[in-house]
């Protein structure tokens, strides 16, 4: 089948297209209907189907004779460990740990929060939830206790899983104080906190509800997979929206399994028995889909990497892993490639390894800038494929799909829509824009299987955030344009979301925190361009009348506050005092123009601006403080 054929079929006859794709997974009970709408009018896939995602990831492959193949390779340069798990070994560990959870009262439909570093137990915890029909919610280990508490209160887990520490480069980060603090802040209290104690950070677990992972496993009975409905949630993954309250993206079992099964072959050209590596974190959607679910559902070997692209121990670490484990397909973020490029521009470390197994490098998380693309493709001599997706989709929406045979690669473009995603660029008034015209990146409904069916406990927010702006279309929150060949160019968010080193963060949330400082009358937090991280947040504050505080003192307080509340990943390091903020006559702060000033991007002064002289004032302050690529 050609890409063109499948794309056409997927948008003209979505039910037939996905009915056929659904035959690739083993259902306990076949779906009765392919596409339906619920009472709220939201689309649902595979009504009446019954399955178990952990069964598809593990037991199914053992039945097919893959029991002795490596399912998971844990490669941890920070602990100097490499550990391999066959499908059978992983299944046995998951089944036993499911027994631990069941003994704590976890069953179908119960939520479990997982706050863990990149260790096998994190994957075992996720799959054990799936085996029971429970709903996991993984919280990225880089988030601070406040963020964990917010997620605990929203997901209302029966149990929380953690480990005694994470390891960042050479630093041991004890997790217990973080979990304890989050539990003190949260209103909701789980029944149990099961902790995997790592040798790097011993802990005594004697508080109420505290359970030692290893001891509990010793006494546990293995559990068989529990059939669940296709519509039952497999997981909730919180992602940044425009306010302090994160959005709980739901992934259902049925649509997700079908999409994961199909996409690994169709988009990534990776097949049973081959080695796939997504150098992401299980705290992000990429980690859920392409470290855990898609490679395992497809009978591949997946790599769980506990390290960074650099300094673990050096910028050759990616190439060492690829050579050592014979990776065919590698997925990372452009920011990680930039980090490697900075430290090994000549490729001296790269040349130490035989990476002949590698056929593709896929990048996502932010736009792959042409300089990064050029460097990586020249160094590697293989296709470097930018593709676009979101936590909401759980799978690529735009990609040069290797499984159909690659189309020409265009630098700066995320290529063409993946079958199932009927993308349109819409103007302010909802009209469909043509090639070269920049507007809102949207997808005509229905979204294909695996995309969020709604937000956890919040249909109204789902409707309002994604569906109301352009009826009949999903609003991605990104802006961009397409060219005459239907290649799409994603140019960045049109809302208060930024991407810092591949981490999705809300400037709206940071703004709420800055605004809460007693000295601050009003403020704006904007994402400005950063050479390494893609974007970084910068605060601009106007002081309250009569308040006297040195700007460096205020900056230090706000930096510490955001680090403590959101976490170090927020990378909020700069906050400058300005006299006034530029606004429209209706009082809306012109954040986009502040960002463009810092980035040195030319723009016409907006006609709606209240006082154009403020833009000049801001420009002078940014220049004086050397904030922004335009001024360094
Ligand atoms: N647990 C605890 N802290 C964490 C963490 C985690 N899981 N991840 C990051 N942090 C901390 C870091 O230690 C750092 O703290 P510091 O300010 O005290 O040094 C801070 O958060 C910022 O981390 P990070 O954004 O990762 O920057 P870095 O300078 O440590 O590394 C890169 C830069 C580019 C190497 C790294 O960001 C990277 O590999 N990014 C790719 C991310 C990715 O793959 N995302 C998935 C998208 S598909
Ligand atoms: P997340 O939900 O964390 O995966 O972040 C999704 C956001 O990251 C998107 O809305 C985009 O803004 C950005 N993004 C992801 N991949 C790309 C890409 N290939 N090109 C441009 N932006 C991207």
């Amino acid at each position: 089948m050609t890409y063109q054929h499948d794309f056409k079929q997927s948008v003209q006859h979505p039910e037939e297209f996905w009915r056929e794709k659904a035959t690739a997974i083993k259902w306990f009970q076949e779906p009765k209907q392919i596409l339906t709408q619920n009472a709220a009018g939201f689309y649902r896939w595979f009504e009446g189907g019954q399955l178990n995602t952990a069964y598809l990831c593990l037991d199914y492959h053992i039945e097919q004779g893959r029991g002795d193949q490596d399912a998971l390779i844990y490669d941890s340069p920070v602990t100097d460990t490499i550990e391999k798990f066959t499908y059978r070994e992983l299944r046995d560990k998951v089944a036993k740990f499911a027994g631990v959870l069941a003994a704590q009262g976890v069953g179908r439909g119960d939520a479990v929060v997982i706050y863990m570093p990149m260790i096998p137990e994190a994957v075992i915890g996720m799959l054990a939830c799936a085996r029971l029909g429970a709903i996991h919610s993984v919280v990225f280990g880089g988030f601070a206790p406040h963020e964990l508490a917010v997620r605990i209160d929203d997901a209302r887990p029966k149990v929380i899983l953690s480990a005694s520490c994470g390891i960042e480069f050479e630093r041991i980060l004890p997790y217990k104080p973080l979990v304890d603090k989050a539990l003190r802040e949260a209103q909701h209290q789980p029944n149990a906190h099961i902790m995997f104690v790592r040798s790097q950070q011993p802990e005594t677990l004697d508080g109420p509800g505290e359970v030692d992972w290893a001891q509990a496993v010793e006494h546990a009975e293995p559990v068989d997979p529990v059939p669940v409905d296709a519509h039952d949630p497999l997981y909730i993954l919180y992602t940044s929206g425009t306010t302090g309250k994160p959005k709980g993206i739901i992934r259902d079992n049925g649509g997700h399994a079908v999409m994961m099964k199909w996409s690994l072959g169709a988009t990534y050209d990776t097949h049973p028995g081959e080695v796939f590596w997504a150098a992401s974190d299980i705290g992000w959607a990429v980690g859920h889909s392409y470290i855990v679910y898609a490679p395992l559902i497809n009978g591949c070997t997946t790599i769980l990497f506990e390290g960074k692209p650099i300094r673990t121990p050096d910028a050759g670490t990616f190439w060492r892993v690829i050579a050592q484990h014979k990776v065919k397909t590698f997925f990372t973020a452009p920011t990680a490639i930039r980090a490697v490029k900075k430290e090994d521009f000549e490729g001296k470390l790269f040349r130490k390894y035989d990476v002949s197994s590698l056929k593709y490098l896929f990048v996502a998380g932010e736009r792959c800038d042409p300089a990064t693309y050029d460097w990586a493709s020249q160094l590697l001599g293989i296709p470097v494929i930018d593709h676009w997706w979101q936590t909401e989709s759980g799978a690529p929406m735009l990609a040069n799909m290797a499984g159909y045979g690659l189309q020409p690669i265009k630098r700066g473009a995320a290529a063409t829509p993946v079958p199932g995603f009927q993308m349109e660029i819409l103007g302010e008034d909802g009209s469909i824009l043509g090639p070269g015209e920049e507007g809102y990146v949207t997808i005509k409904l229905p979204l294909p299987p695996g995309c969020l069916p709604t937000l956890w406990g919040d249909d109204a927010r789902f409707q309002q955030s994604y569906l109301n702006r352009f009826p009949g279309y999903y609003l991605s929150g990104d802006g961009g344009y397409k060219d005459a060949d239907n290649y799409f160019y994603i140019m960045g968010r049109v809302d208060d979301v930024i991407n810092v080193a591949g981490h999705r963060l809300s400037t709206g949330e940071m703004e709420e925190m800055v605004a809460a400082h007693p000295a601050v009358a009003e403020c704006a937090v904007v994402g400005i361009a950063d050479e390494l991280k893609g974007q970084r947040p910068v605060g601009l504050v106007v002081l309250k009348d009569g308040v006297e505080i040195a700007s460096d003192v205020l900056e230090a307080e706000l930096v510490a506050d955001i680090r403590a509340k959101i976490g170090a990943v927020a990378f909020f390091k700069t906050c400058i005092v300005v006299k006034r903020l530029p606004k429209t006559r209706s009082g809306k702060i012109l954040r986009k123009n502040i960002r463009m000033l810092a980035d040195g991007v030319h723009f016409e002064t907006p006609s709606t601006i209240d006082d154009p002289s403020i833009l000049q004032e801001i420009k002078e302050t940014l220049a004086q403080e050397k904030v922004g690529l335009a001024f360094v």
Side-chain angles (χ1 to χ4, degrees):
M1 281 305 163
T2 62
Y3 160 74
Q4 282 78 7
H5 170 278
D6 269 13
F7 180 74
K8 204 166 150 200
Q9 165 85 350
S10 76
V11 296
Q12 289 181 349
H13 306 287
E15 294 197 55
E16 276 93 296
F17 183 82
W18 292 110
R19 184 195 311 279
E20 195 262 316
K21 301 300 168 223
T23 59
I25 63 163
K26 186 160 174 203
W27 297 87
F28 294 153
Q29 190 176 303
E30 299 285 328
K32 294 195 170 43
Q33 282 177 282
I34 301 300
L35 180 62
T36 47
Q37 277 176 286
N38 69 3
F42 302 155
Y43 288 97
R44 294 283 182 271
W45 290 95
F46 308 121
E47 169 100 45
Q50 289 221 321
L51 72 165
N52 181 282
T53 300
Y55 166 83
L56 294 174
C57 288
L58 302 167
D59 310 59
Y60 174 76
H61 301 302
I62 299 166
E63 290 166 17
Q64 301 297 307
R66 289 193 181 278
D68 296 326
Q69 180 195 309
D70 286 336
L72 182 97
I73 300 176
Y74 167 55
D75 187 312
S76 169
V78 294
T79 59
D80 204 12
T81 312
I82 292 178
E83 206 178 346
K84 299 183 178 184
F85 300 83
T86 64
Y87 271 96
R88 187 169 291 106
E89 287 164 345
L90 192 59
R91 191 273 313 268
D92 291 348
K93 284 187 181 291
V94 167
K96 267 227 155 176
F97 193 68
V100 171
L101 290 175
Q104 293 295 337
V106 175
R108 181 174 168 189
D110 291 327
V112 173
V113 161
I114 302 180
Y115 183 66
M116 295 182 77
M118 291 285 284
I119 57 175
E121 287 69 23
V123 177
I124 291 167
M126 291 165 78
L127 292 168
C129 291
R131 197 169 187 85
L132 292 169
I135 306 163
H136 61 70
S137 186
V138 181
V139 179
F140 176 58
F143 279 129
H146 168 72
E147 293 292 328
L148 179 57
V150 169
R151 286 156 175 78
I152 289 172
D153 277 339
D154 200 69
R156 307 185 64 76
K158 244 191 187 159
V159 168
I160 177 161
L161 307 181
S162 78
S164 60
C165 65
I167 303 170
E168 280 288 293
F169 298 111
E170 60 295 329
R171 267 182 306 154
I172 307 286
L173 302 176
Y175 273 21
K176 183 142 192 304
L178 307 179
V179 178
D180 287 348
K181 193 165 178 214
L183 288 172
R184 282 196 299 276
E185 185 181 326
Q187 303 289 315
H188 173 83
Q189 296 296 305
N191 297 348
H193 170 194
I194 306 176
M195 175 176 281
F196 181 76
V197 179
R198 305 183 75 181
S199 59
Q200 295 81 5
Q201 178 66 32
E203 285 292 352
T204 312
L205 299 170
D206 50 13
E210 290 177 359
V211 177
D212 181 276
W213 185 299
Q215 281 176 15
V217 166
E218 268 179 36
H219 304 112
E221 288 299 321
V223 171
D224 284 336
V226 173
V228 298
D229 287 339
H231 296 174
D232 278 4
L234 169 67
Y235 66 78
I236 312 164
L237 181 57
Y238 288 90
T239 190
S240 299
T242 51
T243 67
K245 190 172 187 291
K247 290 171 169 165
I249 305 297
I250 296 180
R251 196 83 59 215
D252 63 9
N253 274 275
H256 171 257
V258 172
M259 183 53 110
M260 291 297 99
K261 174 71 193 152
W262 174 70
S263 81
L264 205 70
T267 300
Y268 297 97
D269 187 26
T270 307
H271 306 283
E274 296 180 332
V275 185
F276 188 92
W277 179 25
S280 179
D281 188 287
I282 45 137
W284 307 117
V286 176
H288 282 62
S289 294
Y290 293 104
I291 296 174
V292 183
Y293 289 110
L296 295 181
I297 288 177
N298 278 283
C300 296
T301 300
T302 187
I303 295 185
L304 184 75
F305 175 68
E306 188 182 28
K308 297 262 179 167
I310 51 171
R311 290 171 45 212
T312 55
D314 59 30
T317 196
F318 275 175
W319 321 127
R320 194 269 304 159
V321 173
I322 289 165
Q324 190 161 354
H325 305 305
K326 308 245 174 315
V327 173
K328 175 182 179 184
T329 313
F330 179 40
F331 179 166
T332 189
T335 185
I337 299 292
R338 286 196 296 273
V340 174
K341 175 180 160 207
K342 191 160 171 250
E343 303 220 345
D344 186 29
F345 185 76
E346 303 292 333
K348 286 191 181 128
L349 292 167
F350 170 78
R351 276 185 275 281
K352 281 172 60 181
Y353 301 97
D354 171 8
V355 297
S356 54
S357 62
L358 192 67
K359 296 291 175 267
Y360 307 102
L361 168 62
F362 283 85
V363 288
E366 55 175 320
R367 178 168 176 261
C368 184
D369 56 286
T372 303
Y373 170 81
D374 287 343
W375 183 81
S377 54
Q378 276 161 26
L379 184 79
L380 293 168
I382 56 166
V384 174
I385 302 168
D386 185 8
H387 62 328
W388 174 73
W389 57 303
Q390 303 184 304
T391 306
E392 287 83 346
S393 65
M397 299 178 280
L398 286 171
N400 202 328
M401 299 185 71
Y404 289 101
L406 288 177
Q407 307 165 74
I409 292 177
K410 297 194 191 188
R411 292 152 88 239
T416 49
V418 168
F421 293 95
Q422 194 177 350
M423 310 228 355
E424 297 290 359
I425 303 291
L426 299 185
E428 285 294 339
D429 60 357
S431 57
I432 295 178
L433 300 183
E437 295 180 294
E438 194 162 336
Y440 295 90
V441 179
T442 67
I443 298 154
K444 195 159 188 298
L445 299 176
L447 294 172
C451 292
L452 78 170
T454 185
L455 294 176
W456 179 247
D458 206 343
D459 280 356
R461 191 176 182 196
F462 173 66
Q463 175 77 40
Q464 190 258 326
S465 308
Y466 301 104
L467 307 181
N468 277 356
R469 179 69 176 83
F470 299 113
Y473 291 87
Y474 163 84
L475 179 74
S476 69
D478 282 332
Y481 62 94
K482 63 178 181 180
D483 68 12
D485 298 324
N486 213 32
Y487 277 54
F488 283 72
Y489 296 74
I490 304 294
M491 303 310 289
R493 300 286 303 195
V494 292
D495 56 13
D496 297 334
V497 169
I498 57 172
N499 259 288
V500 183
H503 312 311
R504 175 164 159 183
L505 300 163
S506 164
T507 52
E509 177 180 22
M510 293 182 212
E511 231 169 64
E512 286 171 22
M513 290 173 183
V514 173
H517 191 286
V520 172
E522 60 177 346
C523 65
V525 175
V526 294
I528 66 169
D530 181 87
E531 268 181 340
L532 179 64
K533 303 213 170 202
Q535 283 187 299
R536 69 186 177 98
V538 167
L540 283 78
V541 302
V542 177
L543 295 181
K544 281 182 185 158
D545 282 348
V547 167
E548 299 235 339
I549 184 166
S551 53
D552 56 342
V553 172
L554 178 66
E555 181 177 61
E557 285 179 14
L558 289 168
V559 166
D561 196 35
I562 290 189
R563 192 180 165 94
K565 287 195 178 123
I566 299 181
V569 283
F571 202 66
F572 183 85
K573 306 256 180 197
T574 311
C575 191
I576 55 176
V577 175
V578 295
K579 286 197 222 87
R580 300 175 295 173
L581 288 168
K583 290 183 188 167
T584 60
R585 279 186 283 279
S586 61
K588 195 169 171 291
I589 298 171
L590 291 162
R591 294 178 180 80
K592 187 174 169 192
N593 299 97
I594 299 174
R595 192 181 78 214
M596 290 166 113
L597 285 173
D599 296 351
V601 176
H602 174 75
F603 61 88
E604 299 296 332
T605 302
S607 56
T608 52
I609 195 164
D610 185 32
D611 180 350
S613 70
I614 301 179
L615 282 177
Q616 186 55 31
E617 256 174 50
I618 297 283
K619 189 172 175 185
E620 283 162 15
T621 313
L622 291 171
Q624 203 182 324
E625 302 283 337
K626 295 196 168 36
V627 172
L629 291 186
F631 307 110
V632 288

